[in-house]
Amino acid sequence: STIGKREGGLWSAAGTLNAGAVQKDKGVRLAMLGILFRSAGLPDQYAPARLMIWLKQNGYYEQVKARVEQQERDLSKELLNMYVSPVLAESLLAVYPQFANSPAEVRSLLKVQYPNREDISDEELLLTMEDVLALQSTTPGKLPCTLLVFDELQQFIAEDPMRTLQVQTIVEACSSRFGSKLLFVATG
């Protein structure tokens, strides 16, 4: 609590890692990020979550959300269909006219900037985690002390040595990057 007051507060994310949702040696990073995304109120999928993070970082989120809701739509559902959603494209243009010249161009730019991904690099994972944690911070420029709880990790890993190595690499990379501000807890 004391360190949290000096830093960006306290935050936690918890969830069950689903062994069936990840292909043999792909998607471990995205499975872990999915838990962070859900706990932070972001979409589960990487591309829509990254777009929502960008909207929040740049101060467009509330305005885009309000415009989408004016058309009796839900922003989270529009984000899941962001490559084809005319409502999202028009709302983005209304809030940020320099973004593109037309709704069609908005959708094309979103497809290029936020493509669907089956996996991401360790560096992309760390940068995304940093962005999510920054959104949870109570002090600008500082990250919160964070507890990440991954339930059913043993079942998730099963007897797959590649998946075991990926989890180990992720935890080591996070520990190196975030130090004692980030604590992992895993259950079997």
Side-chain angles (χ1 to χ4, degrees):
S1 297
T2 303
I3 294 170
K5 290 176 187 173
R6 280 187 258 146
E7 296 298 327
L10 300 173
W11 189 66
S12 66
T16 301
L17 290 165
N18 182 351
V22 180
Q23 295 175 0
K24 184 165 169 108
D25 44 27
K26 291 189 176 184
V28 173
R29 293 171 202 86
L30 292 176
M32 289 185 164
L33 270 181
I35 291 172
L36 255 70
F37 290 157
R38 279 188 298 280
S39 294
L42 299 168
D44 288 358
Q45 296 176 354
Y46 184 74
R50 286 299 315 168
L51 176 56
M52 187 181 282
I53 290 167
W54 181 82
L55 290 170
K56 288 183 176 206
Q57 288 173 331
N58 291 284
Y60 301 129
Y61 175 75
E62 292 299 331
Q63 294 173 6
V64 169
K65 182 180 178 202
R67 289 197 167 267
V68 167
E69 288 173 351
Q70 284 174 353
Q71 297 189 37
E72 297 183 12
R73 300 290 182 102
D74 179 63
L75 180 58
S76 60
K77 289 180 182 176
E78 296 303 311
L79 285 168
L80 293 176
N81 298 302
M82 66 187 193
Y83 304 139
V84 296
S85 171
V87 172
L88 179 61
E90 291 164 7
S91 298
L92 267 168
L93 275 179
V95 171
Y96 182 28
Q98 299 84 5
F99 188 77
N101 294 317
S102 68
E105 190 177 341
V106 168
R107 291 189 296 275
S108 292
L109 287 171
L110 292 177
K111 195 177 286 188
V112 170
Q113 183 66 32
Y114 304 103
N116 284 322
R117 308 281 294 276
E118 290 187 24
D119 200 9
I120 58 174
S121 69
D122 285 342
E123 186 60 22
E124 289 171 307
L125 169 78
L126 294 171
L127 290 172
T128 301
M129 287 179 71
E130 197 168 320
D131 287 342
V132 171
L133 295 177
L135 290 175
Q136 307 312 309
S137 179
T138 57
T139 306
K142 294 188 177 190
L143 298 179
C145 294
T146 303
L147 174 66
L148 300 179
V149 180
F150 297 116
D151 195 16
E152 303 297 343
L153 183 63
Q154 185 176 1
Q155 182 181 4
F156 176 77
I157 291 173
E159 293 183 24
D160 186 336
M162 280 300 295
R163 196 176 280 180
T164 302
L165 182 60
Q166 285 183 330
V167 170
Q168 178 183 338
T169 302
I170 290 166
V171 171
E172 289 173 356
C174 289
S175 296
S176 176
R177 176 72 144 261
F178 302 110
S180 62
K181 290 183 187 176
L182 184 66
L183 178 65
F184 283 92
V185 173
T187 69

